[in-house]
């Protein structure tokens, strides 16, 4: 179990990375924010690479149960709720999705596990979309599933960059809901559930 100081370093690093981007934050910045010496920070984390890896590990741990294959297929509402939970995790660690290609070039050891998460996510999404089609909840054609998955993946992975380009500074909840609304907008023309308030858990 990490010490209280190590936990404070992690959470402060996460906050600073989310606000300013990983590239703009130095180890000295983190130490100053915590009012500790750079040597104290280095004692717990031997540089930014170790910090970023530790935060990615937390991200991975939180995403793993959300990407496990369910015991039975998810209906459309359940799929959207699962998506919302995944977006909440992504929002908490949104620095990972801020210039992710640059991040992976800087920390190449993250490339394989990051892609593993995204590929697993796409597999679960495909299963849910195909089940919704089989159940008559979506009128999407089989041929359109792959393009739709591509669009959903773009929203999930690139919405942070787009918000930054527009000068938006969304908090975690706003970010997750903003992304989910975009996904609902993409799926809405194919909705065959005879409901116009879905997903029911998303505020109006």
């Amino acid at each position: 179990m990490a010490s209280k100081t190590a936990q404070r370093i992690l959470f402060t690093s996460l906050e600073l990375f989310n606000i300013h981007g990983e590239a703009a934050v130095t180890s000295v910045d983190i130490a100053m924010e915590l009012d500790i010496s750079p040597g104290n920070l280095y004692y717990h984390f031997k540089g930014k690479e170790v910090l970023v890896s530790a935060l990615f590990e937390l991200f991975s741990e939180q995403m793993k149960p959300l990407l496990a294959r369910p015991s039975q297929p998810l209906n459309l509402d359940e799929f959207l709720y699962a998506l919302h939970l995944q977006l909440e995790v992504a929002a908490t660690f949104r620095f990972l999705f801020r210039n992710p290609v640059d991040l992976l070039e800087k920390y190449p050891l993250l490339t394989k596990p990051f892609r593993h998460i995204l590929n697993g996510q796409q597999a679960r999404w495909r299963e849910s979309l195909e089940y919704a089609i089989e159940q008559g909840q979506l009128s999407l054609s089989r041929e359109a599933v792959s393009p739709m998955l591509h669009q959903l993946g773009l929203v999930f992975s690139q919405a942070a960059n787009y918000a930054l380009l527009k000068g938006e500074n969304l908090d975690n909840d706003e970010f997750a809901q903003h992304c989910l609304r975009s996904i609902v907008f993409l799926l809405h023309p194919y909705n065959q559930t005879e409901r116009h308030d879905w997903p029911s858990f998303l505020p109006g």
Side-chain angles (χ1 to χ4, degrees), residues 69-84:
R69 177 167 282 147
S71 56
Q72 54 186 357
L74 304 180
N75 63 35
L76 192 55
D77 251 11
E78 291 168 337
F79 166 59
L80 289 171
Y81 185 66
L83 253 176
H84 189 231

Side-chain angles (χ1 to χ4, degrees), residues 47-111:
K48 255 176 55 172
E49 182 174 2
V50 180
L51 265 173
V52 171
S53 295
L55 288 171
F56 181 85
E57 184 63 28
L58 289 176
F59 166 72
S60 180
E61 287 174 3
Q62 292 186 31
M63 284 294 289
K64 186 175 180 179
L66 300 179
L67 299 180
R69 177 167 282 147
S71 56
Q72 54 186 357
L74 304 180
N75 63 35
L76 192 55
D77 251 11
E78 291 168 337
F79 166 59
L80 289 171
Y81 185 66
L83 253 176
H84 189 231
L85 295 178
Q86 294 167 32
L87 285 164
E88 287 182 329
V89 175
T92 300
F93 297 89
R94 60 188 180 277
F95 83 93
L96 294 170
F97 298 91
R98 178 172 179 160
N99 301 319
V101 174
D102 290 345
L103 186 77
L104 295 182
E105 287 180 351
K106 188 174 182 180
Y107 305 107
L109 290 178
L110 299 183
T111 300

